[in-house]
Amino acid sequence: MKVRKAVIPAAGLGTRMLPATKTIPKEMLPLVDKPVIQYVIEEAVASGIEDILIVTNRAKSAMDDYFDYHPELEERLLRDNKTKEAELVRMSADLANIFYVRQKETKGLGHAIWRAKRFVGDEPFAVLLGDDIMMAKTPVTKQIIDAAEKHGASAVGVQTVPDEHISKYSSVKVSPLEERVYRVSDMNEKPTPAEKFSNYAILGRYVLTPDIFDILENTPPGYGGEIQLTDGLKTLCKQSPMVAVDFEGRRYDTGNLKGFMEAIIDYALASDEIGPWLKQFIVDKARQF
Ligand code: UTP
């Protein structure tokens, strides 16, 4: 089992980030000096992925434009001796082989993944949600791929979340397999603390086998009237092996304002260019409280 392809669903409406996302896709919002989606693509590439499909929609063409060349801009930058800027502009277009497919109706994450069927063909593939970014020493997708390849299984990235937040996620039923890796036998979407299987919640990274497509095709709309990936995964984990990887790293949900602000601050603090300045700014600010 070798994972070479990734699918990035990025066709959600982004209603939690309005009005900013009325005309700008949430995946294109700048996180320090790059759009959110570039971090996701870079994680996939650093995990050994060669081909990437972004599931997009009619309001999100800014993403395809971003990963294209911009000859006039590059020419102008080179003419003005702004070599570094010209390289940065070119680099984002050369990160990977990026393909696009549109989700014509916003029918849920499961439906968005199903749109990748032709691209994926008959091999296992990684899924990275386009608004979830991960700060980690070893790329989180690589951690998930390594476990999937080792166990010949599909895999989901999980971390523990407290009871008061579990209803925002999918909770998995697990039994221990090895350090940080568990066998998954069931799951449920957005459970109450009484309904949860465990406090392990699925957080935005997966490796799936192509059997998921037939399952999704036969999955009726679930929570919120949408075709839920979790409902498909629930079937998948019962018919073939699936592992949960308690990954090392910090996950940021940039699709909501608090997660986005946390990511901006942490990524800016980690930046050589503006980190030291921001630290001083925060210290000075804190003195005023
Ligand atoms: P979210 O739960 O973040 O939903 O989707 P959303 O619609 O993007 O944002 P809000 O809740 O309105 O603010 C989780 C992931 O699934 C994708 C999103 O782009 C995000 O990566 N998604 C969701 C789709 O691609 N298509 C859909 O129909 C729904």
Side-chain angles (χ1 to χ4, degrees):
M1 174 172 182
K2 183 92 191 86
V3 182
R4 297 183 307 112
K5 293 181 179 175
V7 175
I8 302 181
L13 295 177
T15 56
R16 287 168 298 158
M17 293 289 275
L18 286 169
T21 49
K22 183 177 168 192
T23 53
I24 301 171
K26 61 178 169 177
E27 296 80 7
M28 287 303 293
L29 293 175
L31 199 60
V32 189
D33 55 355
K34 290 184 287 195
V36 165
I37 187 111
Q38 186 164 344
Y39 292 86
V40 180
I41 301 265
E42 286 175 355
E43 178 189 327
V45 171
S47 303
I49 297 294
E50 294 158 17
D51 296 336
I52 298 173
L53 178 76
I54 303 181
V55 184
T56 170
N57 69 26
R58 67 187 73 79
K60 299 209 173 187
S61 43
M63 278 192 287
D64 349 354
D65 292 343
Y66 182 79
F67 293 111
D68 195 0
Y69 287 157
H70 195 327
E72 298 80 17
L73 177 61
E74 287 172 43
E75 221 171 90
R76 178 59 174 268
L77 289 167
L78 289 173
R79 207 189 325 143
D80 294 347
N81 282 326
K82 295 188 171 162
T83 327
K84 190 178 157 217
E85 286 82 352
E87 274 168 11
L88 286 172
V89 166
R90 171 57 62 114
M91 194 267 277
S92 54
D94 282 339
L95 281 170
N97 302 318
I98 303 181
F99 302 82
Y100 303 90
V101 67
R102 283 192 177 184
Q103 184 187 22
K104 295 176 199 160
E105 292 173 279
T106 313
K107 287 184 172 176
L109 175 58
H111 180 259
I113 303 278
W114 174 75
R115 294 288 291 141
K117 183 175 175 173
R118 295 291 286 254
F119 165 81
V120 165
D122 197 23
E123 42 184 307
F125 62 104
V127 173
L128 298 84
L129 298 193
D131 54 353
D132 268 347
I133 57 163
M134 308 283 179
M135 195 183 265
K137 274 203 198 99
T138 305
V140 172
T141 295
K142 178 154 181 12
Q143 297 177 44
I144 317 282
I145 289 176
D146 286 349
E149 289 181 349
K150 179 171 174 188
H151 294 281
S154 50
V156 291
V158 299
Q159 283 187 335
T160 43
V161 302
D163 269 358
E164 63 263 36
H165 295 313
I166 195 73
S167 62
K168 286 191 266 179
Y169 302 99
S170 299
S171 155
V172 283
K173 186 175 182 182
V174 290
S175 51
L177 208 54
E178 63 177 77
E179 208 193 339
R180 306 189 83 96
V181 182
Y182 301 82
R183 175 78 61 204
V184 179
S185 55
D186 210 346
M187 64 182 70
N188 51 8
E189 170 85 13
K190 299 190 169 46
T192 63
E195 291 163 345
K196 70 175 184 191
F197 283 117
S198 73
N199 285 78
Y200 281 119
I202 302 180
L203 298 179
R205 298 291 183 267
Y206 316 75
V207 168
L208 304 178
T209 49
D211 353 343
I212 192 68
F213 295 115
D214 282 347
I215 295 173
L216 287 172
E217 233 159 81
N218 295 301
T219 301
Y223 186 93
E226 296 193 331
I227 297 174
Q228 295 292 345
L229 178 61
T230 305
D231 293 340
L233 295 180
K234 191 180 168 82
T235 307
L236 185 67
C237 76
K238 289 180 182 183
Q239 69 182 45
S240 60
M242 181 183 292
V243 295
V245 184
D246 182 7
F247 63 82
E248 290 180 287
R250 166 87 156 86
R251 171 252 189 188
Y252 300 85
D253 174 8
T254 66
N256 75 73
L257 202 49
K258 282 186 187 158
F260 184 65
M261 293 308 299
E262 285 170 359
I264 290 199
I265 292 169
D266 279 357
Y267 278 80
L269 283 172
S271 145
D272 291 340
E273 208 170 311
I274 59 163
W277 163 81
L278 180 62
K279 199 169 176 183
Q280 192 55 51
F281 179 80
I282 292 172
V283 168
D284 293 346
K285 209 74 191 155
R287 285 205 191 97
Q288 296 167 18
F289 291 142

